[in-house]
Every structure is written in C-alpha cells, then in structure tokens.
Amino acid sequence: MPGKINHQRRQLMLGAAALSAGVLPAAPSVAAAADPLKVGLIVPMSGPFASTGRQIEAAVKLYRQQNGASVAGRQVEIILKDDGGVAPDVTKRLAQELVSREKVQVLAGFGLTPLAFAAAPVATQAKVPMIVMAAATSVIPQRSPYIVRTGFTLAQVTAPMAQWAARNKIRNVVTLVSDYGPGLDAEKVFVKDFGEGGGKVADSLRAPLRNPDYAPFLARVKDLKPDALFVFVPSGEGAAVLKQFTERGLAAAGIRLICTGDVLDDDLMASIGPAAAGVVSSHHYSAAHPSPENKAYVEAFSKANQGMRPNFHSVGAYDGMHLLYQALRQTKGDSNGDKLLAAMKGMAWTSVRGPVSIDAASRDIVQTVYIRKAEASGGSFYNIEFDQVDKVRDPGA
Ligand code: PHB
C-alpha cells in the first residue's frame, strides 16, 4: 500500500499516495489545493461494537479502491482511530487531536450516539464537516451545524414498522429497546404510530446498553403474552436477543418478534441462523437488496474482505465517502468546511440501498425504508424486502 504509516500512534493511513514535490504547482492557491485532504475516521475497532468499525473501515477502503485516492486534484488521506466504542471522552479527545495536531479537514465515522454527541462541539469549533455514518438518534445533526448524516435514524426506520404491524392484524405489542438515545426514539415513535394505527402497547421495556441481560425482560414479555414483541438493540446485540427469545419459549408461546434491521444485522445473520426465520423487520438496507448497484457492491465487498457480508453501517460509510467526493468535485477541491457543507446540502444520488438525498435544512438523509422477512437463501439467512415506503424523512422523536 502506498503512503505513510505511523505505527507508533496506532494510526492507519489507507492508501495515501505520497505527493511528489516535483509536481507541486508554484501558485499558492493552487499549491494549497494540491495539499492532501485529511479525513479523521473515528470508529470502534475494538470492544463490543468492533463489528461497526470493521464494516466502516472495509467500506471506506473499497470506495477508495473503486474511485481513486484523489478527487478534484486533492489526495484524500484517511486517518483511522479506534475509540473503543464505549467512552465519549475518548472520542472527544481523538477528535480534538485529529483537528489540532493532524490538521484533518473532515471528521467521519461515529459508531454510537454518545460518541457523536461528544465530537459535535469539536466540529463546530474547528468548522470541519462531521459525517455521521452510523449513530442514529434523531437529534444528532442539531448538535452541530457541521454535521451531515449518511446512515439513518431509528425514528425513520421504526415508523414504517409500526404502521405495517397495525395494518397486519397485530393488535397488542410490548416494546423492548436499549435504554439510550436511539432506543428511546424507537420506543416513542413505535408507541405513537402503532397507537394511531389502532394498536395497543401493553408495556415498554428498556434494557441497559452495557452488559445487558435480556432474560428478565423476556420473562415479563412471556407473562404479558402480546401478539408481538417489537425490539431495537444496536448492531452487534441482535444474536443474543434472538437466541434468548427462542430458548425462553416466546416463539413457542405464539409471540411474534418484529424489529428494526439493527437486530437482524447482515453481519450477524450467520451467527443468528435459523432463529431469524420468518422474522419481519424494517430497515434502509439489506445485503439482499435486488438492485444491480447492490449486487456489485456485495460482491466487491465480499471479495475484498474474505467473504464478509456488508451491513447497513458499511453502506452509511460508503455513501459518506461518496458525499465527500461529490462535494469536493463541486468545490473544485476546496476543503473549506462551510463550502463543503453547502455542497453536501441537498445532494442526491443512487445508493446501493436505493435513492437517497441529504435534506438541505436538517442535513439528515432521506431514503426508502423496506419491510423485510428473514428467509434462507443459498445456505444462509437474508432479509428479503417485500414492501417499501419511499422518501422517508426523519420524523423526529
Ligand atoms: C447509535 O448508538 O446511535 C446506534 C448504534 C448502532 C445501531 C443503531 C444506533 O445499530
């Protein structure tokens, strides 16, 4: 791999081609434009949410392999930092160091909501775009005018699930969510939309984010015996919930499981196995999405990563890179934060997930939300889309 690698500081530069001094133009403005553009990519590469970091890193690498390491005359250097996924103060310190010492002009990544919250003031102070690729609480872009989101929001994917359940003879539901930002958003939107559709939420349960034990919550659900249990847990946690749901006999007792696609994460489907069979979920991305763009993406991703299946966080990252490259083309390589933000607002493109755009006012992503059913296909389980709601905005929570 070409480029500088600084092992001591545990940072990894992905394919940054060294600039030859001989080709630097003399005029200062052009010379400035020829400086590499540094992107500080902060994700959990270790700890309980390491799969999010792995997916994001793989997607960013793939995007650069396919689209080149430079755009509009600027080399794009990626400086990857592992924040461990659980400590907001670590994420904040990394963001500060990237901006002040490494002189990054863009921040990106952010695996969980508390970590995006922690970095937001750094982006505001430094006036650098902050591309939120994974964290999904509605309020995040309001924490800094420099935030743009390319992933999704829980409120956005939960509303179609609640409406689908109400239309499909599910009358009585218990909700179970992780007790923090995205979970509270999902709970609020589900209770509202399912209630408006004529359904009744018998109880709303919240499991801790750290070291959760789902057993007491599932015991309560079994006692209440609703038609369905609605679940949101963040990417990485779904296998534990599904395993216990089956082991504790909820499925056998006739209780249906419905959930957001975070629970049936493509990265986890192999470990979930047959426990996923028939589960209906809603989300903005499935590796089984039947478009030519997605088929090519899944194949290239798998080939570049020893057979790994891309999940929704990878797509947030892949589209985050696309947004940055397109914005840089529009600014003709100028990395001024305000100019990049102006270029990003309102941008629209065909993602591997379907058509997407960045709402100019909220800086949040507008996209199709799919209703899917988990089915065996080619020896493993996939979320097969069978219904969709187009151009879904974050409804707020
Ligand atoms: C979040 O912390 O915002 C988050 C993380 C993982 C998910 C969804 C939301 O799957």
Side-chain angles (χ1 to χ4, degrees), residues 105-117:
Q105 289 134 314
V106 175
L107 290 168
F110 308 103
L112 287 102
T113 289
L115 313 176
F117 283 164

Side-chain angles (χ1 to χ4, degrees), residues 12-197:
L12 175 66
M13 294 192 181
L14 304 174
L19 273 178
S20 140
V23 301
L24 279 179
S29 61
V30 187
D35 288 342
L37 170 91
K38 294 186 183 178
V39 179
L41 183 65
I42 310 177
V43 287
M45 296 300 295
S46 56
F49 304 104
S51 69
T52 300
R54 234 185 20 245
Q55 287 273 343
I56 290 177
E57 183 196 20
V60 168
K61 254 189 185 160
L62 179 63
Y63 190 88
R64 286 165 52 89
Q65 276 165 16
Q66 293 175 332
N67 296 278
S70 75
V71 57
R74 298 290 299 266
Q75 286 287 322
V76 179
E77 274 183 16
I78 307 290
I79 304 176
L80 180 74
K81 296 282 183 184
D82 170 15
D83 67 5
V86 290
D89 52 325
V90 171
T91 308
K92 182 165 190 179
R93 178 176 53 72
L94 289 172
Q96 279 164 338
E97 286 173 6
L98 282 165
V99 163
S100 59
R101 287 203 213 135
E102 309 281 356
K103 310 282 181 226
V104 302
Q105 289 134 314
V106 175
L107 290 168
F110 308 103
L112 287 102
T113 289
L115 313 176
F117 283 164
V122 181
T124 305
Q125 210 191 4
K127 298 189 191 313
V128 298
M130 172 170 158
I131 304 174
V132 175
M133 296 169 160
T137 299
S138 288
V139 78
I140 288 172
Q142 292 174 37
R143 294 294 181 97
S144 169
Y146 289 90
I147 290 178
V148 180
R149 174 157 38 203
T150 53
F152 71 114
T153 81
L154 259 301
Q156 183 179 49
V157 296
T158 298
M161 184 77 254
Q163 292 154 12
W164 182 88
R167 284 199 312 271
N168 284 275
K169 301 201 180 86
I170 296 174
R171 291 279 148 262
N172 187 11
V173 168
V174 173
T175 63
L176 170 60
V177 301
S178 293
D179 190 5
Y180 78 122
L184 304 185
D185 282 3
E187 178 193 291
K188 195 167 171 189
V189 168
F190 192 92
V191 169
K192 178 176 166 288
D193 284 26
F194 187 60
E196 283 173 9

Side-chain angles (χ1 to χ4, degrees), residues 234-291:
S235 178
E237 277 293 311
V241 176
L242 273 147
K243 187 164 172 278
Q244 294 200 20
F245 185 86
T246 311
E247 277 176 11
R248 298 193 165 266
L250 280 84
I255 301 168
R256 261 183 100 158
L257 182 67
I258 55 176
C259 55
T260 64
D262 309 77
V263 181
L264 293 181
D265 182 344
D266 274 300
D267 205 14
L268 284 183
M269 286 305 257
S271 51
I272 295 173
V279 175
V280 172
S281 60
S282 59
H283 230 206
H284 54 295
Y285 179 69
S286 164
H289 179 61
S291 71

